[in-house]
Amino acid sequence: QVQLVESGGALVQPGGSLRLSCAASGFVLDYYAVAWFRQAPGKEREGVSCISGRDGSSDGTTYYTISVRGRFTISRDNAKNTVDLQMNSLEPEDTAVYYCAAQAVGASNYNYWGQGTQVTVSS
């Protein structure tokens, strides 16, 4: 079965850390660009971070939205077929449902989406 599954969301205090994981099954995630999005209640979905797929030219290029730069790190674990998002110095404004999505190289849209994982930052 082809799917993406996020995990790692939790309730954490401000200043704490979490590591989210986006696990793929049925396809090799390394050949896909992977993005993390989040959506807070009453707000539009926003892109948080992304990492390029293996295509020989931009392998491993990363991007972060301004609000998370220096706090979040996106990385691949090809042995586990996952893309992880390490989140440090969490703030209440980071509270949201986090989704991952995978896009094949050259595709115009994301091919697969996960179901989301809840991150709540609160004291």
Side-chain angles (χ1 to χ4, degrees):
Q1 183 178 2
V2 177
Q3 62 179 355
L4 284 176
V5 178
E6 303 96 336
S7 62
L11 170 64
V12 63
Q13 292 186 343
S17 297
L18 283 176
R19 189 175 184 88
L20 304 184
S21 185
C22 173
S25 58
F27 65 103
V28 178
L29 199 54
D30 194 31
Y31 292 98
Y32 289 71
V34 176
W36 283 96
F37 295 86
R38 66 186 179 186
Q39 188 165 20
K43 295 187 177 180
E44 293 187 355
R45 184 177 64 195
E46 68 166 336
V48 175
S49 179
C50 62
I51 186 167
S52 62
R54 182 196 297 256
D55 68 354
S57 61
S58 60
D59 184 22
T61 300
T62 58
Y63 164 83
Y64 301 92
T65 193
I66 292 176
S67 63
V68 308
R69 287 177 191 172
R71 300 189 297 122
F72 291 11
T73 303
I74 191 170
S75 62
R76 291 186 181 274
D77 187 333
N78 290 334
K80 296 182 180 179
N81 206 27
T82 65
V83 169
D84 299 333
L85 186 67
Q86 177 66 42
M87 307 188 297
N88 299 328
S89 302
L90 283 162
E91 304 168 353
E93 293 74 21
D94 296 316
T95 295
V97 178
Y98 284 70
Y99 301 88
C100 65
Q103 182 178 35
V105 175
S108 57
N109 296 303
Y110 287 97
N111 303 87
Y112 308 109
W113 286 84
Q115 83 290 348
T117 186
Q118 176 70 48
V119 172
T120 303
V121 185
S122 175
S123 56

